[in-house]
């Protein structure tokens, strides 16, 4: 086995990993980042779109794994989108250098101040809204669609119809910022540049337009000369050594998932940023195989960020439906958060199927009043999730209320075309929690019971943040790593 020594190791190249890498590299530290997915930029392999799913469409699967309409066969490849299936919930995650930023819709939403305060009572809210959120907006290149373009562009009919219907039903709508470059989008509309958002590219990667992490944080970190990213390197488990350093068992694979070689990495400082599910899996698995010390609250306070998908069909397409051509980048939302009885936020989501299916798709984000728990099944040797209908009961009620109110005002039925009963309670894009900041870690993400281990990803957020989460994950990572560096944790 090849044995490699690296002073600072980061596992995972999503938001938490990318922020940590940049700030450590800027402070002059040498960093090695291990990522199980492919470095797409370096490979030169293009991403596939939703209508012609190819190599990038799924992580080692024989068929596509989108939330619905999986009629496409695939040759297994280390693609960008993975799905982890549990008894009552399916969790989608991104794989590849850039993590979730490769597959996500780019919606860059700052949480409501009051909810942020409720979820993180010990953090300095003003500091987050004055410093960390603006910093993250700048680094992630967040921008907003031009209103005139939105009004005129045929690819945004689904948003215009969605907003008009929401207003008719008495709901408030909001404009949603995004990391997709809207200047680029206007050019692609005019056919001046290759099309991406208007070419059904999104959950299997965007070839153009989207400022994913490989174009922002990771690019800047690489430019320092201090970062080495090893892709197709999957960490299997971790051991704590007597001298408080760590040893990681790692498998290097090829692009079809076959093991090329087993490696051992030794490090003094370890940052876990493998995403909520990845980090929990590593900690719980390592605990079983290596007696790795873990805090008793690990896995607790897990939530789906209130994700609940639903849709509506019109019997008679209203105002000609939502459009045959649709941009893949959502720019509108319905904000019902201040309704005491039915608080939710919902994305007016695109459904770019190449024809007008007279269907509106919504991803609701609700409060998570009953949290779940991730634990390890020793017999099955895998993580399990304590989560069922009782956790999503209130979310279902909100979705039912929303759909009924929309249909009463605008016509239409709950979409059985998309989901059984019209409700996708099992769809989760936003797994959060399990290593909650200040509970399982200290106030800056250092794991309790450890001296040299830090968790910096979505698992720090206790199961809910009320909006799409990557802006918050990035801001919390900025806050933690700034303070960890200031405390000389890495010198
Ligand atoms: P991730 O971004 O998940 O990164 C973790 C990385 O670690 C991955 O690259 C993974 O391959 C790697 N990894 C895991 N285990 C190992 C291991 N053992 N060894 C080596 N590497 C490992 N959020 C929004 O805010 N706006 C949106 O519009 C939005 N849309 C979404 C759409 C989809 C389809 C999905 C799936 C998610 C969406 N999200 C969205 C959620 C968002 O992408 C995630 O919340 C975010 O990526 C989580 O960041 P993270 O840093 O916790 O980890």
């Amino acid at each position: 086995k090849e044995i490699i020594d690296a002073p600072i190791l980061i596992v995972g190249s999503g938001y938490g990993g990318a922020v940590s890498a940049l700030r450590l590299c800027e402070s002059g530290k040498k960093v090695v980042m291990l990522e199980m997915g492919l470095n797409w930029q370096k490979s030169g392999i293009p991403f596939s779109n939703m209508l012609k799913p190819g190599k990038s469409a799924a992580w080692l699967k024989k068929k596509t794994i989108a939330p619905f309409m999986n009629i496409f066969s695939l040759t297994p490849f280390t693609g960008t989108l993975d799905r982890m299936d549990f008894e009552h919930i399916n969790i989608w995650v991104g794989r590849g250098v850039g993590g979730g930023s490769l597959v996500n819709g780019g919606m860059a939403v700052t949480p409501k101040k009051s909810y942020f305060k409720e979820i993180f009572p010990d953090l300095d809210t003003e500091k987050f809204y004055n410093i960390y959120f603006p910093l993250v907006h700048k680094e992630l290149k967040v921008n907003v669609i031009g209103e005139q373009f939105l009004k005129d562009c045929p690819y945004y009919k689904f948003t215009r119809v969605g907003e008009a219907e929401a207003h008719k039903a008495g709901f408030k709508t909001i404009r949603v910022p995004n990391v997709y470059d809207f200047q680029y989008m206007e050019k692609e509309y005019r056919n001046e540049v290759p099309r991406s958002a208007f070419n059904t590219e999104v959950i299997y990667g965007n070839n153009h337009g989207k400022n994913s992490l490989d174009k922002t944080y990771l690019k800047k970190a690489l430019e320092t000369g201090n970062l080495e990213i090893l892709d197709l390197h999957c960490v299997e488990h971790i051991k704590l050594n007597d001298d408080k350093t760590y040893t990681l068992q790692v498998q290097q694979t090829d692009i079809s998932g076959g093991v090329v070689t087993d490696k051992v990495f030794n490090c003094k400082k370890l940052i876990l940023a493998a995403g909520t599910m990845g980090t929990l899996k590593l900690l719980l698995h390592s605990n079983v195989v290596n007696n790795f010390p873990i805090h008793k609250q690990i896995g607790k306070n897990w939530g789906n960020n209130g994700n609940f998908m639903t849709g509506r069909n019109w019997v008679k397409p209203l105002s000609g439906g939502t459009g045959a051509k649709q941009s893949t980048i959502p720019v509108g939302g319905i904000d019902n958060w201040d309704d005491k009885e039915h608080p939710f936020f919902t994305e007016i989501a695109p459904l770019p199927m190449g024809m007008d299916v007279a269907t509106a798709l919504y991803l609701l984000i609700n409060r998570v009043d009953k949290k779940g728990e991730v634990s390890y099944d020793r017999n099955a040797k895998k993580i399990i999730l304590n989560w069922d209908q009782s956790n999503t009961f209130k979310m279902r009620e909100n979705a039912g209320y929303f759909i009924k109110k929309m249909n009463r005002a605008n016509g239409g039925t709950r979409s059985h075309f998309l989901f059984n009963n019209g409700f996708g309670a099992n769809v989760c894009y936003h797994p959060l929690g399990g290593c909650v900041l200040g509970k399982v870690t200290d106030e800056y993400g250092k794991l309790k019971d450890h001296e040299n281990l830090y968790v910096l990803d979505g698992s720090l957020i206790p199961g809910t943040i009320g909006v799409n989460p990557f802006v918050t994950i990035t801001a919390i990572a900025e806050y933690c790593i700034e303070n960890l560096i200031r405390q000389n944790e890495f010198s």
Side-chain angles (χ1 to χ4, degrees):
K1 271 188 198 176
E2 195 180 338
I3 300 176
I4 298 140
D5 291 317
I8 305 175
L9 265 186
I10 299 178
V11 182
S13 62
Y15 293 90
V19 170
S20 316
L22 175 60
R23 300 308 172 205
L24 284 165
C25 291
E26 279 177 343
S27 73
K29 305 287 173 221
K30 292 270 177 209
V31 174
V32 175
M33 178 179 263
L34 303 175
E35 166 57 55
M36 67 190 277
L38 179 64
N39 190 335
W40 287 84
Q41 218 175 49
K42 210 164 145 194
S43 76
I45 301 169
F47 296 117
S48 48
N49 68 20
M50 287 166 75
L51 296 183
K52 282 192 199 135
K55 288 193 166 117
S56 74
W59 179 257
L60 303 172
K61 307 278 187 299
K62 289 189 177 151
K63 220 171 167 204
T64 54
I65 48 162
F68 36 78
M69 301 281 168
N70 290 304
I71 49 171
F72 303 95
S73 299
L74 299 169
T75 306
F77 193 86
T78 45
T80 55
L81 188 66
D82 198 2
R83 193 182 69 197
M84 303 169 86
D85 295 347
F86 297 91
E87 203 181 344
H88 296 284
I89 190 165
N90 301 324
I91 300 173
W92 278 262
V93 294
R95 302 257 177 255
V97 172
S101 79
L102 297 176
V103 300
N104 67 34
M107 293 173 74
V109 197
T110 307
K112 295 234 173 206
K113 213 171 183 176
S114 55
Y115 199 56
F116 183 83
K117 219 173 193 159
E118 181 182 330
I119 301 302
F120 289 111
D122 297 333
L123 293 182
D124 181 344
T125 309
E126 292 311 317
K127 206 165 174 193
F128 266 82
Y129 284 77
N130 293 329
I131 295 174
Y132 298 108
F133 286 128
L135 168 67
V136 158
H137 275 225
K138 192 178 115 251
E139 297 288 4
L140 293 172
K141 302 195 175 164
V142 175
N143 66 154
V144 180
I145 193 167
E147 284 300 316
Q148 194 57 45
F149 180 63
L150 173 58
K151 210 166 146 223
D152 297 338
C153 181
Y155 288 78
Y156 275 108
K157 186 174 180 189
F158 77 95
T159 303
R160 296 195 295 272
V161 170
E163 291 182 351
E165 287 195 326
H167 295 154
K168 206 167 159 206
F171 288 113
K172 191 173 89 190
T173 60
I174 51 164
R175 186 67 49 245
V176 180
N178 204 288
V179 299
Y180 196 94
D181 181 347
F182 289 109
Q183 300 285 334
Y184 186 91
M185 190 186 276
E186 294 202 14
K187 285 191 198 139
E188 70 180 274
Y189 179 55
R190 296 194 298 265
N191 278 320
E192 293 166 11
V193 290
R195 290 187 158 196
S196 185
F198 292 174
N199 183 32
T200 74
E201 289 178 4
V202 70
I203 56 172
Y204 310 143
N206 284 82
N207 289 303
H208 312 278
K210 188 160 84 174
N211 282 308
S212 43
L213 291 166
D214 48 325
K215 305 205 175 68
T216 57
Y217 275 96
L218 291 172
K219 180 167 181 271
K220 273 176 110 172
L222 285 166
E223 281 164 3
T224 63
N226 287 335
L227 175 64
E228 185 182 10
I229 304 178
L230 299 174
D231 68 337
L232 299 175
H233 277 63
C234 182
V235 180
E236 297 294 306
H237 49 81
I238 313 162
K239 195 171 142 254
L240 172 66
N241 302 315
D242 292 341
D243 63 355
K244 312 245 159 93
T245 61
Y246 296 95
T247 298
L248 287 73
Q249 297 295 324
V250 176
Q251 279 189 343
Q252 185 179 355
T253 68
D254 61 22
I255 49 177
S256 309
V259 179
V260 176
T261 164
D262 286 306
K263 294 185 179 176
V264 174
F265 283 79
N266 292 315
C267 68
K268 198 165 166 250
K269 297 282 175 180
L270 178 60
I271 297 177
L272 292 183
T276 297
M277 304 315 290
T279 291
L280 289 173
K281 187 175 162 190
L282 269 176
L283 289 170
L284 292 165
H285 180 64
S286 302
N287 173 251
V288 171
V289 297
N290 291 331
N291 258 327
F292 191 80
I294 56 169
H295 190 270
K296 60 180 186 313
Q297 294 231 42
I298 279 190
K300 290 192 184 359
N301 284 304
W302 184 92
N304 68 345
N305 198 26
N307 283 187
F308 198 100
M309 259 201 191
T310 187
R312 296 167 49 235
N313 295 126
W314 295 271
V315 183
K316 239 199 261 157
L318 195 89
S319 51
T322 46
K325 295 174 172 178
Q326 297 192 10
S327 169
T328 54
I329 299 301
V331 295
I334 296 168
D335 179 0
N336 205 49
W337 199 260
D338 295 332
D339 178 341
K340 291 270 171 299
E341 248 177 87
H342 299 289
F344 64 85
F345 167 80
T346 178
E347 166 184 340
I348 298 173
L351 198 58
M353 300 185 80
M355 57 182 160
D356 196 329
V357 286
T359 303
L361 175 67
Y362 307 96
L363 175 62
L364 266 74
I365 297 179
N366 300 272
R367 295 177 66 97
V368 182
D369 293 325
K370 186 179 176 198
K371 304 276 171 59
E373 183 176 347
V374 178
S375 57
Y376 197 84
D377 181 337
R378 282 171 182 259
N379 294 328
K381 294 198 174 77
K382 60 175 191 183
I383 51 168
I384 48 171
L385 193 44
N386 184 358
W387 183 266
D388 60 26
Q389 286 90 347
S390 67
N391 299 87
T392 52
F393 179 77
K394 181 63 191 160
M395 303 170 198
R396 189 185 197 92
E397 215 179 75
N398 282 351
Y401 163 83
F402 168 64
I403 293 288
K404 245 190 221 146
K405 206 168 159 186
M406 288 292 273
N407 287 342
R408 217 176 290 138
N410 301 289
T413 57
R414 205 159 69 206
S415 179
H416 295 261
F417 159 72
L418 292 176
F419 308 104
N420 210 1
N421 284 327
F423 287 140
N426 57 347
V427 177
C428 175
Y429 283 176
H430 304 162
L432 296 173
C435 290
V436 173
L437 187 68
K439 280 204 164 105
V440 167
T441 74
D442 75 357
E443 58 186 325
Y444 304 131
K446 182 171 173 168
L447 221 67
K448 288 186 179 164
D449 308 330
H450 286 264
E451 281 180 32
N452 298 308
L453 178 58
Y454 312 84
V455 170
L456 292 176
D457 61 18
S459 64
L460 293 173
I461 301 174
T464 164
I465 197 61
V467 291
N468 314 58
F470 74 61
V471 164
T472 310
I473 296 171
T474 313
I476 288 185
E478 285 279 16
Y479 161 78
C480 289
I481 198 74
E482 179 189 288
N483 284 290
L484 292 169
I485 292 172
R486 184 177 299 149
Q487 289 182 340
N488 291 322
E489 285 284 335
F490 298 96
S491 38

